[in-house]
Amino acid sequence: LGNTPGQENEEDLDAFEEGVANRGRGVVVTRAGGIDPAIITALRVLVSSEEEWLAVGEAVGNLVTVNSGGKENERLALVVAQKALELELLAKPTTLGEDEESWKNKNSLGLGTEDMLALQFRIEKKKLLKEAMFALSLL
């Protein structure tokens, strides 16, 4: 979908991303709600077979509830969501374990306030992604 990474027109991206909260294009997840239900609905649409899409009257709103596109459609949407979370976690330059080790050694590493805040953020983001992956695995 769209351009191959590295082929984007920077001016187009800047104009498109103005006001976008998720400029890094990662997966948006919250601790309280997991993956936004609107994202799951969109995934149901994207994984729908032609038969499933026609069965819901070609209307996104008919794919809002769990299994609204059928059990296989729901399974596929959750697999895609799970994979997106996994890829987001794998895209990070360090692992949760490495970040936690750095946190333990923050004083000897001489980390400044900004570096410590960034490290805390990375740790929490990775924990959140793992929690969301676990929650999806239970569905």
Side-chain angles (χ1 to χ4, degrees):
L1 301 176
N3 295 329
T4 303
Q7 291 183 336
E8 298 94 347
N9 179 326
E10 289 300 320
E11 289 177 22
D12 289 345
L13 280 178
D14 289 343
F16 175 75
E17 291 183 341
E18 190 173 311
V20 173
N22 187 22
R23 290 178 188 262
R25 298 184 195 101
V27 180
V28 179
V29 181
T30 64
R31 185 156 273 136
I35 294 181
D36 186 327
I39 300 298
I40 298 296
T41 297
L43 292 175
R44 289 183 188 116
V45 171
L46 291 172
V47 301
S48 291
S49 66
E50 186 172 349
E51 182 180 298
E52 290 166 338
W53 183 237
L54 292 172
V56 297
E58 300 178 339
V60 174
N62 290 337
L63 289 170
V64 172
T65 58
V66 174
N67 290 325
S68 52
K71 288 187 179 195
E72 181 63 5
N73 176 276
E74 190 71 17
R75 185 189 73 76
L76 291 173
L78 294 177
V79 165
V80 171
Q82 180 84 14
K83 187 52 74 176
L85 293 170
E86 288 173 18
L87 291 172
E88 173 82 5
L89 195 55
L90 289 172
K92 305 297 181 201
T94 57
T95 66
L96 176 58
E98 290 169 336
D99 286 345
E100 289 174 331
E101 189 63 29
S102 293
W103 183 254
K104 288 178 188 173
N105 298 315
K106 64 184 178 281
N107 292 331
S108 64
L109 293 172
L111 297 179
T113 303
E114 286 184 18
D115 290 331
M116 286 194 294
L117 288 172
L119 182 58
Q120 284 178 315
F121 176 82
R122 288 197 314 265
I123 289 169
E124 289 307 310
K125 171 84 180 215
K126 290 169 186 168
K127 285 180 179 179
L128 178 61
L129 289 168
K130 286 180 176 270
E131 288 170 17
M133 288 168 52
F134 178 73
L136 280 176
S137 72
L138 298 176
L139 299 177

